[in-house]
Amino acid sequence: MDTIFIKNLRTLGILGVNPQERIHPQTILINISVQVDTRNSAQADDLAFSVSYSTLARKAKTHAENAHRQTVEALAADLAALCLAEPGVVRATVRVEKPDAVPEAESVGVEITRNREG
């Protein structure tokens, strides 16, 4: 399997359990790696046989902006499911970070890996 990745996709959204986090959008940093077989796409030099990182990034950003989840775990699970819904994706690793959540830390978050069922 090959890896298609999106690194440090930055967006704003409602994410968190604290009262301020439920009112004011905050920066959310998303990293995605999906496992796909890119051989046919490479041989044909045609994106139709692969996964578009542009499309995946747009879908992830739109979801993160509108989901209004309380936990990074829930948002990461949402995004992993979104990735696995793309044809050809067999595994997705998603990292969701809140760079402004803990002032003493550069960032905090969660990383999950999910596999396509079946």
Side-chain angles (χ1 to χ4, degrees), residues 4-65:
I4 293 174
F5 66 92
I6 299 166
K7 184 177 179 181
N8 295 331
L9 177 65
R10 190 173 293 274
T11 191
L12 292 174
I14 301 294
L15 179 61
V17 296
N18 297 324
Q20 285 296 97
E21 294 176 314
R22 303 306 304 159
I23 297 169
H24 302 291
Q26 63 183 295
T27 300
I28 301 169
L29 202 56
I30 300 167
N31 285 274
I32 296 172
S33 294
V34 293
Q35 301 296 303
V36 297
D37 186 343
T38 64
R39 289 178 289 193
N40 289 340
S41 180
Q43 185 175 19
D45 196 18
D46 189 342
L47 185 58
F49 299 106
S50 190
V51 174
S52 167
Y53 51 77
S54 179
T55 299
L56 203 54
R58 180 181 41 77
K59 288 180 179 181
K61 187 175 189 306
T62 298
H63 184 80
E65 289 172 346

Side-chain angles (χ1 to χ4, degrees), residues 41-102:
S41 180
Q43 185 175 19
D45 196 18
D46 189 342
L47 185 58
F49 299 106
S50 190
V51 174
S52 167
Y53 51 77
S54 179
T55 299
L56 203 54
R58 180 181 41 77
K59 288 180 179 181
K61 187 175 189 306
T62 298
H63 184 80
E65 289 172 346
N66 295 297
H68 295 216
R69 296 300 237 153
Q70 292 191 45
T71 65
V72 290
E73 292 84 353
L75 181 57
D78 291 349
L79 296 175
L82 183 147
C83 292
L84 291 170
E86 292 292 313
V89 174
V90 297
R91 175 181 287 152
T93 299
V94 176
R95 175 183 285 197
V96 174
E97 297 178 56
K98 295 170 38 175
D100 302 324
V102 176

Side-chain angles (χ1 to χ4, degrees), residues 98-109:
K98 295 170 38 175
D100 302 324
V102 176
E104 300 82 12
E106 183 175 329
S107 190
V108 296

